[in-house]
Amino acid sequence: MKITELSLKQLADGLGKGEFSATELARQYLDRISASQLNGFIDVQPDLTLEQAREADRRLAAGERGALLGIPVAHKDIFVTRGWRSTAGSRMLADYVSPFDASVVERLAAAGAVCLGKTNCDEFAMGSSNENSHFGAARNPWDLAAIPGGSSGGSAVAVAADLAPIATGTDTGGSVRQPAAMCGITGIKPTYGRVSRFGMIAYASSLDQGGAFGRSAHDCATLLSAMVGFDPRDSTSLQRGPEDFAEALEQPLSGLRIGVPAEFFGDGLAPDVRAAIGTAMAQLEREGAQLVEISLPRTSLAIPAYYVIAPAEASSNLSRFDGVRYGFRAEQYGDLVEMYEKTRAQGFGEEVKRRIMVGTYVLSHGYYDAYYLQAQKLRRLIAQDFRAAFEKVDLIAGPVSPTVAWNIGEHSDDPVRDYLADIYTLPASLAGLPGMSLPVGFGQGGRPVGLQLIGNYFAEARLLSVAHSFQQTTDWHLRRPADQ
Ligand code: GLN
């Protein structure tokens, strides 16, 4: 087995025993990144990576050990980093270098993780396919014609293609779970407020949440443990201490009640996805879980609610890109107003502009009550549906996406088709609940299918333990695409 195919635990053991150095390990990944055709990365700076690797080697030589010490990690280019550019996939920030590190970046660096670079993503994390990136679409390693999912597409690509053993992502409405599903890897978004948003370039602040990608639930648990924790620099950070999710993985499934929401298995679900999900649920049942039919009656309303609230917040968050404070400024303009107009017209892509317009509209006088306030009420009702469900079951399972990855360009004339495909991930986002995706097979065209698990608040450890148990008896998470 190549060292780029080892699990985090095996990597940490190998580093600890001196079988290979952090520098050798980082080099192997950097070589794979530079040979890759997948457009998974926006910025790679081998000198900086190797400097961090040498520092990890010094710590290892001094006898220090740690689950992430010397382990390479790729960061979604939404987390700001000193050294590497921080673009958010936008022309607006194409040359921007942050003077500080995001909290997540800082925490992982303190744990000794070695940054491999910044991964491709939809512009300001708006999208479900990674095609909205100023730096071009990333490609799905299982099929170069397919999208990798989005918005954290590059991070999912990096892990799926062994360009990084683990990667960070962000999930506002599904952007960790959906690309994990489409690339055949494991990904988790924790409870809103557990991972600091400080230094995460904002899309929709009441929904944005950092998350983890890995090949297995075990690897995700290790990464997520280093990411969570209270941060006074994020006003919505939860006052909750650290937690070691990797410690809590071995829990039996017997007696576990898994809710199966009828609304997640309606007409819109493609037969190939339905079949793979059905087989996975039967496996969970064999391992001792009890499947319970439940209802999340407002599921379909999550789409209109989310696509009002998220653009509303985005229109406010993105007002800071005015050509003055940082980032891109149009070259030619007359007065100040024209400078703003041209900067924003040239700096933002189509989808971002569409959302700024929708957001500004739903917040405007006369429409606020009709759209924004209604959407907030729906959001509350959706959260109440989950609360009622969690009185009957311990967690909820269903598909992540109604179909496997579609082709690059397939939805380009109709953005609403992308929005509709978010139906199964948006409800948990609106409620602030933790959710994850784990690979459970392949559908049409040999493209991966992910199973979604949704937990009650702070049930990350339980979710990961169920995924871990599943991965002890199946090998979907170990399947690898051919090198591209
Ligand atoms: N696809 C959703 C959107 O476009 C979710 C994106 C995300 O989670 N960042 O808004």
Side-chain angles (χ1 to χ4, degrees):
M1 206 187 240
K2 297 183 204 151
I3 67 172
T4 50
E5 294 187 1
L6 298 178
S7 69
L8 281 199
K9 171 100 181 43
Q10 291 167 323
L11 287 176
D13 286 350
L15 287 164
K17 291 189 190 129
E19 287 165 10
F20 44 82
S21 68
T23 310
E24 279 159 14
L25 187 58
R27 276 218 176 88
Q28 296 253 2
Y29 280 108
L30 288 170
D31 287 349
R32 291 186 61 81
I33 293 168
S34 74
S36 153
Q37 312 283 305
L38 301 166
N39 199 24
F41 282 77
I42 290 176
D43 199 15
V44 181
Q45 306 275 348
D47 292 349
L48 291 178
T49 299
L50 294 172
E51 198 180 301
Q52 291 192 358
R54 282 191 293 272
E55 172 58 22
D57 281 329
R58 277 191 287 273
R59 288 168 66 175
L60 284 158
E64 198 180 325
R65 296 290 178 266
L68 291 176
L69 181 55
I71 305 283
V73 62
H75 288 299
K76 180 178 186 181
D77 200 7
I78 282 282
F79 293 98
V80 302
T81 41
R82 274 183 301 190
W84 290 265
R85 283 182 294 147
S86 298
T87 73
S90 181
R91 183 180 186 202
M92 195 58 105
L93 292 171
D95 299 312
Y96 177 68
V97 180
S98 167
F100 67 96
D101 280 330
S103 284
V104 162
V105 172
E106 200 176 86
R107 272 172 204 250
L108 293 178
V114 173
C115 176
L116 287 170
K118 307 294 289 293
T119 61
N120 204 348
C121 58
D122 284 303
E123 188 176 5
F124 291 101
M126 297 177 194
S128 311
S129 69
N130 212 120
E131 291 167 285
N132 298 336
S133 167
H134 172 64
F135 302 91
R139 293 179 180 276
N140 191 315
W142 292 96
D143 183 344
L144 295 184
I147 57 152
S151 64
S152 316
S155 286
V157 165
V159 173
D162 293 322
L163 310 180
I166 44 172
T168 57
T170 62
D171 190 311
T172 303
S175 283
V176 166
R177 290 162 283 164
Q178 189 255 26
M182 291 186 169
C183 287
I185 59 165
T186 310
I188 181 161
K189 162 207 118 76
T191 307
Y192 178 81
R194 286 211 84 169
V195 170
S196 171
R197 288 186 299 108
F198 182 77
M200 238 170 76
I201 297 172
Y203 162 18
S205 310
S206 77
L207 294 151
D208 295 344
Q209 184 57 203
F213 290 100
R215 192 156 292 285
S216 64
H218 196 299
D219 289 0
C220 284
T222 303
L223 174 55
L224 190 65
S225 303
M227 291 171 73
V228 299
F230 175 67
D231 182 358
R233 297 179 296 186
D234 169 1
S235 60
T236 56
S237 174
L238 294 169
Q239 298 266 5
R240 201 159 165 115
E243 187 170 341
D244 188 341
F245 303 111
E247 285 274 288
L249 286 177
E250 309 291 340
Q251 293 180 48
L253 289 197
S254 53
L256 186 78
R257 295 162 305 166
I258 299 183
V260 184
E263 295 78 5
F264 279 39
F265 292 86
D267 285 345
L269 183 63
D272 55 338
V273 176
R274 186 189 297 272
I277 298 293
T279 309
M281 306 257 251
Q283 173 65 24
L284 291 172
E285 215 173 2
R286 269 198 298 281
E287 288 176 37
Q290 183 196 340
L291 302 183
V292 182
E293 211 176 292
I294 58 162
S295 174
L296 293 171
R298 277 90 166 198
T299 296
S300 65
L301 297 176
I303 299 173
Y306 174 89
Y307 280 99
V308 167
I309 293 168
E313 294 184 23
S315 73
S316 164
N317 273 326
L318 270 57
S319 65
R320 75 191 68 185
F321 299 103
D322 59 359
V324 176
R325 283 171 275 198
Y326 36 64
F328 173 80
R329 177 188 294 183
E331 262 168 30
Q332 287 177 349
Y333 50 86
D335 59 3
L336 180 67
V337 171
E338 198 180 306
M339 190 280 284
Y340 289 152
E341 286 172 357
K342 289 201 165 158
T343 294
R344 289 170 67 84
Q346 294 165 22
F348 289 137
E350 287 300 304
E351 184 61 25
V352 171
K353 284 185 214 168
R354 187 176 296 125
R355 300 210 189 179
I356 291 173
M357 284 195 284
V358 169
T360 307
Y361 180 80
V362 300
L363 289 176
S364 61
H365 182 73
Y367 294 102
Y368 181 90
D369 291 358
Y371 295 107
Y372 184 72
L373 222 53
Q374 285 295 103
Q376 292 290 20
K377 288 178 185 165
L378 280 181
R379 183 178 191 173
R380 172 58 61 92
L381 291 172
I382 288 163
Q384 279 172 6
D385 283 353
F386 278 110
R387 192 189 303 166
F390 284 124
E391 276 165 21
K392 292 191 218 112
V393 297
D394 304 302
L395 57 89
I396 293 170
V400 173
S401 170
T403 64
V404 294
W406 50 92
N407 285 337
I408 293 174
E410 196 177 327
H411 292 184
S412 53
D413 54 346
D414 186 4
V416 174
R417 286 178 70 190
D418 274 21
Y419 302 173
L420 295 176
D422 290 338
I423 180 156
Y424 306 132
T425 51
L426 298 179
S429 297
L430 288 165
L433 293 166
M436 72 177 294
S437 174
L438 60 150
V440 294
F442 296 89
Q444 244 184 10
R447 298 179 183 183
V449 176
L451 173 75
Q452 181 174 208
L453 300 176
I454 300 170
N456 210 339
Y457 300 106
F458 305 114
E460 292 83 5
R462 196 64 184 121
L463 292 181
L464 288 161
S465 74
V466 172
H468 178 69
S469 167
F470 183 85
Q471 292 178 344
Q472 298 306 101
T473 54
T474 57
D475 69 351
W476 301 113
H477 63 295
L478 299 175
R479 310 267 180 115
R480 294 178 142 86
D483 273 351
Q484 308 278 6

